[in-house]
Amino acid sequence: MGYIQGDSAAEVMETAHTETGWSCHYCDNINLLLTEEEMYSLTETFQRCKVIPDCSLTLEDFLRYRHQAAKRGDRDRALSEEQEEQAARQFAALDPEHRGHIEWPDFLSHETLLLLQQLRPQNSLLRLLTVKERERARAAFLARGSGSIISEAECRRAQHSWFYKQFPEAPSCSVSISHVGPIADSSPASSSSKSQDKTLLPTEQESRFVDWPTFLQENVLYILAARPNSAAIHLKPPG
């Protein structure tokens, strides 16, 4: 499309042949996975909650946004103490370097993933995976099991493994690695590759076993969240 010229083109081609790979300025944007209706819903929520575009968010900002978003359609509804604690953990996962704020692109990507998780059926999400992502997931599954199933604890460890690779930076396309793993009630928050020395998972009872189709379904949002992701400009609320 003419965006990359000269030495940058050679650099991008070299990155494309690594395990991480490379995609264009449009394809590597997680926010572009949303439909027009989903994008409208998200921008409407930002406007209603008075989220300032292109600005980082502090924990106070993030909790206020969560409270206001929870009241959508029900003025009397508010976050419970447990939900507020979960929101604080979400913020901590988005701020692995403990800077006290989260960046606008990471916030956008996080909200996109939550919206996909809420609105899309599993089969729809699975269709978003690339061939390389499916192959990598299959290899991870086979590496963690001795047959056609793996334990639930191994499945959880695999969910974190998507974020524990040292991705090469690609300055020519301004791609950053997002820290925005999907966060559900039963899913531990994702962390960045810079905190690999931390203990990630509590001791878990390996009471449930997971086959390959279930493994892929339960990992699909983690795989999407681990994509190199550029900043989205089409979801910025008007200033």
Side-chain angles (χ1 to χ4, degrees):
M1 292 185 290
Y3 282 100
I4 301 171
Q5 303 289 340
D7 294 339
S8 296
E11 180 183 350
V12 165
M13 286 300 296
E14 183 177 345
T15 305
H17 291 288
T18 65
E19 181 185 2
T20 303
W22 182 85
S23 59
C24 78
H25 305 274
Y26 292 102
C27 299
D28 69 13
N29 193 325
I30 292 177
N31 308 111
L32 288 174
L33 298 177
L34 298 178
T35 64
E36 185 176 348
E37 292 78 11
E38 289 166 344
M39 286 192 289
Y40 177 79
S41 174
L42 192 55
T43 53
E44 186 182 47
T45 300
F46 290 160
Q47 291 174 0
R48 187 180 59 260
C49 297
K50 296 181 173 58
V51 174
I52 302 175
D54 264 339
C55 292
S56 59
L57 283 80
T58 64
L59 176 59
E60 183 181 356
D61 296 331
F62 188 73
L63 290 177
R64 183 171 58 249
Y65 167 78
R66 278 277 164 261
H67 275 285
Q68 292 174 340
K71 293 180 179 179
R72 182 176 184 177
D74 186 352
R75 293 179 180 274
D76 297 328
R77 183 182 177 188
L79 292 181
S80 66
E81 184 176 342
E82 182 181 353
Q83 289 173 322
E84 187 168 312
E85 290 176 355
Q86 183 185 2
R89 290 195 297 271
Q90 291 176 336
F91 181 89
L94 292 165
D95 181 27
E97 297 176 352
H98 308 293
R99 294 175 297 179
H101 66 271
I102 56 178
E103 299 299 333
W104 172 255
D106 281 342
F107 173 70
L108 273 182
S109 297
H110 180 264
E111 295 306 303
T112 294
L113 290 164
L114 288 182
L115 196 63
L116 288 171
Q117 187 178 37
Q118 292 166 6
L119 301 182
R120 299 283 185 92
Q122 285 287 350
N123 287 339
S124 176
L125 292 175
L126 289 172
R127 286 195 291 271
L128 299 176
L129 297 180
T130 65
V131 172
K132 180 180 286 189
E133 286 169 337
R134 285 177 176 268
E135 290 174 347
R136 189 179 299 163
R138 181 64 175 171
F141 177 81
L142 294 174
R144 294 179 180 275
S146 56
S148 59
I149 58 174
I150 64 173
S151 69
E152 183 176 14
E154 287 294 338
C155 184
R156 292 286 181 85
R157 293 187 183 96
Q159 289 170 349
H160 286 282
S161 70
W162 308 116
F163 301 93
Y164 283 76
K165 302 178 181 69
Q166 291 290 345
F167 292 94
E169 187 68 19
S172 61
C173 54
S174 301
V175 171
S176 63
I177 302 304
S178 181
H179 303 150
V180 295
I183 302 171
D185 292 340
S186 60
S187 300
S190 69
S191 184
S192 77
S193 59
K194 295 182 180 179
S195 57
Q196 296 184 25
D197 56 333
K198 296 183 180 179
T199 301
L200 296 175
L201 297 170
T203 303
E204 300 181 54
Q205 292 182 349
E206 301 187 5
S207 58
R208 186 172 74 99
F209 290 90
V210 177
D211 60 12
W212 162 241
T214 304
F215 175 84
L216 193 60
Q217 289 177 357
E218 294 185 1
N219 275 275
V220 60
L221 275 172
Y222 287 82
I223 297 169
L224 293 174
R227 286 178 176 178
N229 190 35
S230 63
I233 61 173
H234 65 292
L235 280 177
K236 293 179 183 177

